[in-house]
């Protein structure tokens, strides 16, 4: 703890602007890239504000150690892990209890879109690495992980999407960053399936009245829908591009012909 | 029993449970939002600074609170420390194993911890003895003795009762040293969080599932409410999903059940 | 260490009374219950003074992990474990070296009454949880565990029984509590088979002359015999009761007939 | 693919690589002593006190430097502390597993550590704040993101750049307490060690092996040189052996390559 | 050798051993209460503050004593600290594995520890330097080098000799700081505990069993005696049982053997 | 840290003598014994200056745990381990990162002389225990381990030999002891196959110019050759001796005849 964190007295100014200038319903700037890594079967990278997160997928592959293999479906494993340098104070590389819990709820958030029963005796392994952490990493990790699953060519029902809503200075806002999370009043991370509207991750801490909770949940769902569009664009960017090139190749061949 | 046979038996049981729930009934005759009999025993462990044993039907959880004087965390130098730990004792279930806590045990401890912490059950400032140097450290240890379903609510309730009935010694500061005096005082209790857990089975929600019902459960949702009815913690578990409507309905039920169970907790505390 | 323990100067007063009023050869109040737990195959609960101890037995069941299974007999495992809140200062939940040792000697104290060779490839698992600890827990744990074995319906040659003797204020006394153990001069935990008189557990620390040792051993054996009677009563209470009911049922049927 | 088939395929590949090297050629067209394209990204992790990402072809390594104030080791009470740790992230390769560092990961971290330490990259005396009590503790964490061979050189280079671009706060001592002031300063950098790793394949040495080349590698030799050209660390790895002549030749190449890579590191630092 | 064959071979050997013992004889010609040749080497490890190597026949145990200055336990602020640790080195027996100490190794260390502690071998008050702050910490490390049976007695004897021949530096207190002076002093030795271990084989007791005899042993009983002949520690091991008469007889033999071995220990100390 | 280590200002005096009186190219006194242990398949003990090191070999034996067994060759395992009392300050018994690394390079230094492919499915286990440590233990451990391999009757191509060279007071010297290592300028541990001259272990830390390095490497190689002779003598001492006895037996029989 070289630097003691100090929080400002107000998180929203009189004009309704948050510390980084966002309005209550605004997402942080998001940059998504699919297929970032060479050696993984599928991968994706997301920046959301100062968050920098890599997700990679291996599988379906032979489950190892073998006694974990299941005769009727694939074993889905998920590891949410923070780099030692991702936080203000260095984090020990050994997984904390928080990381164990987030690995579990992330796996449960992703599982509903997979057809695990199609790949008996195998494992599907999802690795999420938080390279830099600035609030909302579990949701951003899920966003990247579902793209990595798609990039790995693993059949999925839908692209899981996720973002949190929260309460700061008594207002319900979207997509808390680290300061808003720590100095704020409540945090509500949500993951959902955009097609069906089903919620696959829901956690909450802080304090919400029933009405505040409903407002926050709806705001998170709206945020999820926006991120869902960005996810599809990122996929298209990777997979449409070559096709267009191929298309152009065809055209040029036609010309030549 | 062959594993194939057990799987068929389990499917039959699952169908039976689901069919009943469709008709708003349960194997043990309860309504969908009814808890099993709740028994709360205050202070069974006299060597602990606080303790409580809670039974939900045949589920039995013992919580002990030990209190020590230690250092605060560097980023909260003026706050006492609260830590929650849980052990799924191998004697509580044939499915529990010895060894360090697994992810289920960690999740349970963290959900109980979140309920206590986020409801601000204790005024942690008042647990500070010498800022930056000495604070009270509260260890809440959850001991699962018998697992017949709904460990979350039983553990949260037992933890609450153990904490709100725990005592710390009177003390004074002499030349920068803590001197323990005669007599005990209550912890600085501020709220009474109650967790209510829902099992989703074939698109219906029930509260306080038994182990048998849990075997048919697709999704789990725990909602913790404060004395003022507000929500202070939520946790969705398992691979099933929830609709927004289900969640909204669950919040209302959790508020009702919270009041019901809170009254019991306050009753045993005062009684 | 919020409270520093202080020990009185004398552990026995001029009239020969110990701190809690007992005479040298008196046991603490003992309460035994058989079949306390729902999910275990067999269980028992004992209170001995302030000791509160649960014992549970699972098995014979498939040994897990499988490579531990033995082709010619059952694997007997035993865990003696203290709750973090069982002692004055909180105990870390991770098993200490003391707990490892006591698990071993407890297993060796129970093994002689089992017919392990009748259940090859299986395991019999004994779990002893010290919920509150006040001296003599290893012996009380053995007393409960042997009842839990019986309650599980596992065939046994005899009910192992156990208690310690010791030396305080230069006198040999039975069944030391925590203060007597810590402020006293010697402790001699003994487990035995009441039918044959064979000793299955024997440990000692402190200082005994040869004569003192023999006196203490005999006192412990007398104590064991008393506890053995209580064990049988506790078993009868659980298993005779229904039979009596059944008997009464028969009688009432007779009446009705 | 059957394991027998894979073994044959691997032997064919091995022969192909070895035959090419005999003719001083490589699969990707490089000469035997040529590195792949090197990309150095300075400061990608702004929450770290220093960071760098290095790509050697498709190999990608991220290093973060975190700095804290802590106690010195009892036997060096007036020196700051430098510790190097490495994680072979499971996302970097199908052959990497989760869990504590294995011997390969430990060897990598220790070889990088030795290069930094033995070159005296930092003047550790200047990292002492209060002798025997408070010093700066420098944590260098190596994160392997993509493994396509030659992790040693990529990790050493990224660690060097992360360390020489890291910042510590200005501070002053008031009544024996450290007071952090506004503004940042560079670490007391003294040297620029560069590691060059050789793979021995069928009696030839090549630098910067790809993963494919590593699969045919019998022995590995890492030589770290200082700015003055002197050697400050060496590490032979794997079960192959080296002749004295091979080692002597490798030293000369390491000196040349050291200069080449050092120029790059200094370039990104200053640019 | 097939496992079935080995089992038969082992049963034959067991019968042979038991038959001999019935006739008060042993494979190596000893009487039932006779130790093998005892060799004690004092101070083989000069870097340790104390050390001893003991051979009982082919069993060989090395004990090193390291001494440091550290903090006392909070509940005994005026006592030095003694800790005993044991390692069953994999080079001592094909049945020993690498890894953290197993229950056999822990039991051995704790039985040796109990003998030293309960006999009050050292006056721990005299190991206190600054009450509540600084005391001498004595680490006794038992290293099993060759396992041919009766590790308990060999380890206890080597530990005793290492402890009673260990040295601490002269020191003085200056302004609350410990200052190490020239010269060494003995530890404050008060007693000389000796452990004697009995193997029960077919209702007979023998002392100092070889590994071969241990393979036929049903029960094990270790009795530690003080210089005044009193008993200070006992430990029954294994699944066999003992009669009261056997125990009483063993106590007498332990007293005799204790005197015999104690004379040897004092001999090497003074010689 | 009861004693703070202090290093002298000069490690070589004006007459070229090192602290212990050695010249730059002198080895410390070395004592080697083969077959020291009873229960190991092969063993050796070496004293080199104050170093005291035991090495033992087990195997080829059934690999355990079994899933580590390899179908086409033996598994070679090696553990370099320091006794807690081997160093000035007590060392924790748990293996340090340094010990993990040295175990690895030791294994790799020994492997080239073994015919692992002749013993598929088995393991060969090498255990090196540093009982007292005084600089150069990894090399001395390799010297002992290769003798233990020979003593175990495991076929080897050559006896691996090893020693380090280094730089102190700007001079290149052979076989650094602990003080020379810590207060010196460079250390270069080398293991080699004496017949072929191949280097099987090479590490270095400190600072060498290219010329200094070559001088040091050559000095280490000369040192290795000297140690190699001692290794062979130690082997001969163990294995020739009985043969001579046998020979004498024959002679005496002849006489009798």
């Amino acid at each position: 703890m070289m630097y003691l964190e100090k929080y400002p007295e107000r998180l929203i100014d009189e004009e309704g602007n948050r510390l980084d200038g966002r309005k209550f319903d605004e997402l942080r700037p998001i940059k998504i890239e699919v297929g970032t890594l060479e050696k993984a079967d599928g991968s994706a990278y997301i920046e959301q504000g100062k968050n920098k997160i890599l997700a990679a997928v291996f599988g379906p592959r032979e489950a190892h150690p073998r006694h974990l293999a299941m005769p009727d479906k694939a074993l889905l494993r998920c590891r949410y892990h923070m780099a030692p340098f991702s936080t203000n104070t260095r984090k020990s590389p050994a997984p904390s209890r928080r990381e164990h819990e987030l690995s579990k709820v992330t796996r449960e958030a992703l599982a509903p879109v997979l057809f695990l029963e199609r790949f008996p005796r195998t494992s599907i392994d999802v690795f999420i690495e938080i390279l830099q952490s600035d609030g909302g990493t579990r949701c951003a990790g899920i966003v990247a992980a579902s793209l990595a699953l798609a990039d790995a060519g693993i059949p999925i029902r839908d692209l899981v999407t996720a973002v949190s809503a929260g309460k700061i200075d008594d207002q319900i806002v979207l997509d808390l960053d680290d300061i808003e999370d720590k100095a704020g009043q409540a945090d509500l991370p949500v993951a959902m399936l955009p097609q069906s509207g089903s919620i696959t991750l829901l956690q909450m801490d802080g304090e919400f009245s029933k009405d505040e909770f409903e407002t926050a949940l709806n705001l998170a769902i709206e945020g999820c829908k926006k991120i869902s569009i960005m996810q599809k664009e990122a996929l298209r960017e990777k997979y449409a591009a070559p096709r267009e090139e191929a298309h152009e190749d065809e055209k040029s061949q036609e010309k030549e012909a | 029993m062959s594993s194939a046979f057990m799987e068929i038996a389990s499917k039959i049981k699952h169908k039976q449970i689901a069919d009943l729930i469709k008709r708003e009934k349960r194997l043990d005759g309860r309504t969908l939002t009814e808890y099993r009999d709740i028994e709360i025993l205050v202070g069974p462990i006299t060597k602990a600074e606080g303790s409580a044993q809670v039974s939900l039907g045949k589920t039995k959880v013992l919580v002990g609170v030990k209190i020590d004087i230690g250092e605060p965390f560097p980023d909260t130098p003026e706050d006492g420390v609260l830590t929650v730990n849980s052990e799924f004792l191998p004697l509580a279930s044939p499915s529990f194993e010895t060894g360090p806590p697994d992810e289920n045990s960690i999740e349970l401890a963290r959900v109980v911890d979140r309920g206590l912490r986020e409801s601000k059950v204790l005024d942690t400032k008042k647990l500070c003895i010498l800022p930056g140097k000495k604070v009270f450290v509260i260890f809440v240890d959850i001991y699962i003795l018998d697992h017949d379903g709904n460990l979350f609510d039983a553990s949260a309730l037992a933890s609450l009762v153990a904490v709100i009935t725990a005592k710390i010694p009177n003390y004074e500061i002499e030349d920068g040293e803590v001197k323990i005096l005669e007599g005990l005082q209550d912890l600085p209790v501020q709220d009474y969080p109650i967790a209510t857990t829902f099992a989703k089975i074939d698109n219906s929600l029930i509260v306080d599932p038994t182990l048998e019902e849990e075997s048919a459960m697709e999704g789990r949702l725990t909602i913790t409410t404060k004395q003022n009815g507000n929500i202070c913690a939520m946790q969705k578990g398992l691979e099933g999903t929830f609709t927004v409507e289900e969640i909204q309905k669950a919040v209302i039920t959790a508020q009702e059940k919270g009041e019901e169970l809170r009254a019991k907790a306050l009753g045993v505390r005062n009684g």
Side-chain angles (χ1 to χ4, degrees), chain A, chain B:
Chain A
M1 285 278 305
M2 220 160 44
Y3 307 100
L4 236 154
E5 287 179 85
K6 281 176 203 151
Y7 305 119
E9 266 182 48
R10 297 194 53 182
L11 297 167
I12 304 183
D13 69 15
E14 282 155 30
E15 287 158 33
N17 293 318
R18 293 151 74 179
L19 290 177
D20 59 0
R22 282 186 288 156
K23 294 290 173 193
F24 77 97
D25 62 348
E26 249 180 286
L27 293 166
R28 287 173 284 179
I30 291 175
K31 185 185 133 189
I32 304 177
E33 190 183 276
V34 176
T36 310
L37 297 175
E38 288 290 330
K39 298 295 174 180
D41 294 335
S43 62
Y45 173 71
I46 185 167
E47 288 186 9
Q48 184 166 9
K50 288 187 202 150
N51 285 327
K52 298 191 178 206
I53 297 168
L54 267 176
V57 168
F58 290 85
R61 60 180 176 181
E62 199 184 344
H64 176 81
R66 280 190 206 167
H67 67 91
L68 295 178
M70 290 182 294
D72 55 343
K73 60 175 181 172
L75 172 70
L76 177 63
R77 285 185 289 204
C78 185
R79 183 174 108 129
Y80 165 99
H81 187 246
M82 300 185 83
F85 45 75
S86 64
T87 48
N88 286 333
T89 302
R90 179 175 184 265
K91 198 210 142 281
S92 157
S96 64
R97 287 157 56 96
R98 178 178 171 276
E99 285 167 293
H100 280 296
E101 184 198 353
L102 294 196
S103 295
K104 179 178 189 289
V105 295
T106 297
R107 186 187 70 232
E108 293 169 346
L110 294 171
V113 298
L114 289 164
F115 299 86
L116 296 175
E117 63 290 351
R118 286 201 202 159
F119 308 102
R121 310 224 131 265
T122 69
S123 76
I124 295 174
D125 295 299
V126 178
F127 301 110
I128 296 169
E129 283 293 334
I130 313 300
L131 303 179
Q132 183 158 279
S133 158
D134 194 47
T137 55
R138 84 195 70 180
C139 289
I142 288 168
V143 167
S146 61
L147 287 167
L149 284 166
D151 186 43
I154 296 174
I156 47 177
R157 294 184 172 86
D158 201 350
L159 273 176
V160 186
T161 187
V163 76
S164 82
K167 184 165 73 165
I168 59 174
D169 289 5
D170 290 325
Q171 288 190 41
I172 305 302
V173 301
L174 185 63
D175 189 16
L176 305 187
D177 66 17
D178 192 43
I179 273 198
E180 292 177 331
D181 183 12
K182 285 185 183 150
Q185 298 154 290
D187 184 30
L188 178 76
V190 174
M192 68 179 280
L193 308 184
Q195 288 174 21
S196 67
S198 300
I199 305 298
T200 72
L201 174 137
L202 186 72
Q203 296 184 289
M204 184 251 154
D205 54 38
E207 181 166 357
F208 277 138
S209 71
K210 183 175 163 300
D211 289 350
E212 286 172 337
F213 168 71
E214 292 187 0
T215 308
L217 183 56
N218 285 326
L219 191 59
I221 289 170
E222 291 310 307
C224 280
K225 287 179 184 162
K226 288 180 199 162
I227 289 173
S228 173
I229 293 167
M230 297 182 215
Q231 286 175 292
K232 283 176 201 146
E233 257 165 40
L235 262 188
R236 203 176 304 124
E237 212 163 285
K238 179 169 181 202
Y239 288 99
R243 227 177 294 153
E244 277 168 27
E245 280 169 29
H247 192 57
E248 290 193 2
D249 279 358
E250 281 170 33
K251 275 199 291 191
S252 57
Q253 282 174 2
E254 279 170 24
K255 275 186 196 164
E256 281 173 22
Chain B
M1 255 191 302
S2 81
S3 139
F5 177 78
M6 279 178 65
E7 210 172 299
I8 293 169
S10 129
K11 277 186 183 161
I12 292 171
K13 176 62 76 180
H14 181 154
K15 195 175 176 329
Q16 188 188 0
I17 291 171
D19 286 349
L20 272 172
I21 289 176
K22 283 254 162 58
R23 291 181 285 135
E24 308 238 330
K25 287 185 178 170
R26 294 166 80 170
L27 283 175
D28 56 9
R30 284 185 287 159
T31 69
L32 301 195
T33 59
E34 196 177 344
Y35 271 83
R36 288 168 287 180
D37 282 345
I38 301 175
E39 270 182 52
I40 306 176
L41 189 62
V42 178
I45 304 301
T46 52
K47 290 212 173 186
E49 276 70 44
S51 65
Q53 183 172 310
V54 163
S55 303
L56 288 184
K58 294 177 178 169
T59 286
K60 200 183 287 175
V61 174
L62 173 62
V63 170
V65 170
K66 289 298 296 180
I67 304 183
D68 206 340
I69 292 172
E71 288 185 24
F73 286 113
D75 53 343
T76 54
E78 300 186 7
D79 289 82
V81 172
L82 177 78
T83 75
V84 180
N85 188 61
S86 115
E87 291 213 50
F88 284 21
L89 298 181
L91 51 68
S93 165
S95 68
F96 291 170
E97 292 176 13
T98 54
D102 68 358
E103 64 170 25
N104 295 308
S105 175
I106 290 171
E107 186 188 25
L108 172 71
R110 284 180 59 82
V111 168
V112 171
D113 184 296
R114 218 172 285 150
L116 295 172
R117 190 178 304 275
E118 299 297 328
S119 71
K120 303 190 169 59
V121 65
L122 296 177
D123 183 348
T124 51
K125 297 285 178 219
K126 291 192 179 151
L127 294 172
C128 178
I129 299 170
L130 285 166
K133 298 203 175 142
K134 298 218 168 180
V135 299
F136 284 107
V137 181
I138 319 280
F139 295 97
V140 178
D141 281 290
I142 301 169
Y143 240 49
I144 308 295
L145 299 183
D146 236 332
H147 174 21
D148 194 36
N150 198 12
L151 298 179
F152 280 74
D153 294 358
S155 300
L157 186 55
S159 299
L160 175 66
V161 174
V163 166
I164 66 178
T165 57
K167 306 283 183 193
I168 47 175
N170 295 321
Y171 66 93
E172 60 181 23
I173 310 293
E174 246 186 42
D175 300 333
E177 293 288 310
V178 188
K179 201 178 142 191
I180 301 297
L181 305 176
E182 292 286 305
L184 297 171
Q185 52 178 313
D186 288 338
L187 288 175
V189 175
Q190 300 186 132
D191 210 311
Y192 305 90
I194 297 290
T196 300
T197 294
F198 299 83
K200 179 166 176 179
I201 298 174
D202 273 16
N203 296 315
S204 298
L205 297 192
I206 59 172
V207 304
D208 186 28
T210 62
L211 188 62
E212 209 163 35
E213 289 169 338
E214 286 187 353
S215 71
M217 161 171 78
E218 301 130 29
R220 195 193 64 228
L221 181 63
T222 301
I223 300 173
T224 307
T225 57
K226 297 182 56 169
Q227 192 167 26
N228 63 9
N230 282 352
I231 311 161
C232 64
M234 299 182 80
Q235 181 88 344
K236 179 242 157 194
L238 305 190
E239 302 188 355
T241 66
F242 287 85
T243 67
V244 171
E245 296 66 37
E246 285 167 347
I247 295 165
Q248 285 170 340
K249 221 176 114 188
V251 166
I252 295 167
T253 307
Q255 289 177 321
E256 290 166 9
K257 293 288 139 186
E259 247 178 88
E260 193 179 313
L261 269 65
R262 189 172 298 111
K264 280 192 202 287
L266 288 168
V268 296
R269 183 214 196 178
N270 301 328

